[in-house]
């Protein structure tokens, strides 16, 4: 190839990469060291990073609600029954408790389809979004724990106050890759025997120290766009 053509081609590729960073960065690959702040994002920074309705076309996003970092969801820790696979504790902890890895900041927002006056909760559709902030090491540990547990945990029974004072049976199945973020894991979560017993997909995407969790099917463009928004929020000042 002629030298001038090679130079022009390289310049075009670099320009495109500078504008569309996601297309030139593989999942799990970070930019240069020092490009990001060391401390976790705080509650107000997470609130500013929450998606608006424009980022979720066809959906309405409710007011984000927070809770102090590390506060548990229920009055008592959910516990596995003795005959449940021990690996399933990772899902109990992530979905209900946050006891093993407690976020510094935590925001959750309800999501519902626009133009649907029924108010009916459809677990198959996107219905909830959570942003939880950790150190990068803690967020990575949460993701590694879920990925290790997924092939070992197909079904379990746990006592929890989340659905009243009772044991709850849960079926977990791996889902298709999200293809977004620094790391991701996808699984379906079903609670047979409860009124809301439809399979619900859970997509967890890590951006640095923030875990974005989508409950219900989410368009692929949403986690990718949220990843870029969180990268910008995590950039060093």
């Amino acid at each position: 190839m002629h030298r001038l053509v090679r130079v022009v081609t390289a310049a075009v590729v670099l320009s495109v990469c500078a504008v569309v960073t996601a297309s030139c960065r593989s999942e799990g690959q970070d930019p240069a060291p020092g490009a990001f702040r060391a401390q976790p994002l705080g509650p107000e920074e997470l609130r500013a990073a929450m998606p608006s309705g424009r980022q979720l076309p066809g959906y309405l996003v409710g007011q984000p609600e927070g809770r102090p970092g590390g506060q548990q969801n229920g009055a008592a820790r959910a516990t596995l029954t003795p005959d449940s696979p021990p690996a399933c504790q990772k899902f109990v902890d992530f979905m209900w408790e946050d006891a093993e890895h407690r976020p510094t900041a935590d925001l959750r927002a309800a999501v519902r389809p626009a133009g649907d006056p029924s108010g009916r909760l459809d677990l198959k559709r996107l219905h909830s979004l959570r942003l939880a902030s950790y150190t990068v090491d803690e967020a990575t540990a949460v993701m590694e724990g879920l990925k290790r547990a997924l092939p070992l945990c197909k079904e379990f029974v746990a006592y929890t106050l989340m659905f009243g004072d009772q044991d709850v049976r849960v079926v977990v199945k791996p889902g298709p890759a999200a293809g977004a973020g620094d790391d991701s894991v996808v699984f379906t979560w079903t609670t047979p025997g409860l009124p809301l017993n439809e399979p619900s997909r859970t997509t967890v995407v890590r951006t640095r120290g923030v875990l974005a969790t989508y409950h219900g099917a989410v368009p692929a463009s949403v986690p990718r766009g949220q990843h870029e928004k969180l990268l910008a929020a995590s950039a060093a000042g």
Side-chain angles (χ1 to χ4, degrees):
M1 183 184 292
H2 193 279
R3 182 176 181 277
L4 179 59
V5 174
R6 289 199 300 267
V7 171
V8 171
T9 302
V12 170
V13 171
L14 288 173
S15 298
V16 172
C17 286
V19 175
V20 190
T21 57
S23 64
C24 299
R25 182 174 59 243
S26 301
E27 183 176 298
Q29 186 177 36
D30 284 337
F36 297 104
R37 51 188 281 176
Q39 66 271 33
L41 296 185
E44 293 309 312
E45 291 161 316
L46 283 188
R47 191 176 301 276
M50 270 282 181
S52 63
R54 287 178 298 178
Q55 294 169 281
L56 288 169
Y59 289 91
L60 298 175
V61 182
Q63 184 69 24
E65 297 181 357
R67 58 194 179 94
Q71 178 180 320
Q72 290 181 227
N73 288 332
R77 177 170 169 76
T79 55
L80 291 173
T81 57
D83 56 344
S84 293
C88 296
Q89 185 62 47
K90 294 294 183 181
F91 291 99
V92 171
D93 190 73
F94 179 75
M95 296 291 279
W96 291 332
E97 294 294 336
D98 298 323
E100 183 179 2
H101 299 283
R102 300 188 177 185
T104 300
D106 188 350
L107 284 181
R108 302 159 192 250
V111 181
R112 62 184 177 87
D116 181 4
S118 68
R120 178 182 174 274
L121 179 61
D122 185 351
L123 296 181
K124 293 182 179 179
R125 301 185 67 174
L126 181 61
H127 58 274
S128 177
L129 168 64
R130 176 192 184 194
L131 297 182
S133 178
Y134 308 78
T135 65
V136 174
D137 287 346
E138 283 271 288
T140 301
V142 173
M143 296 295 289
E144 290 301 317
L146 291 174
K147 289 191 291 185
R148 284 195 301 268
L150 193 52
L152 303 175
C153 178
K154 295 178 173 57
E155 183 176 332
F156 66 89
V157 176
Y159 167 78
T160 176
L161 298 178
M162 293 294 292
F163 303 98
D165 188 1
Q166 61 178 316
D167 287 346
V168 176
R169 176 171 161 249
V170 179
V171 177
V172 182
K173 295 181 179 180
D182 298 323
D183 197 4
S184 64
V185 63
V186 182
F187 56 90
T188 59
W189 176 276
T190 311
T191 52
L194 294 181
L196 295 174
N197 60 5
E198 297 176 312
S200 179
R201 179 180 296 178
T202 297
T203 301
V204 189
V205 178
R206 181 179 70 83
T207 301
R208 301 290 298 165
V210 178
L211 301 185
T213 304
Y214 306 86
H215 296 291
V218 59
S221 60
V222 174
R224 292 172 188 157
Q226 187 66 42
H227 174 64
E228 296 302 322
K229 191 172 185 179
L230 288 168
L231 279 180
S234 302

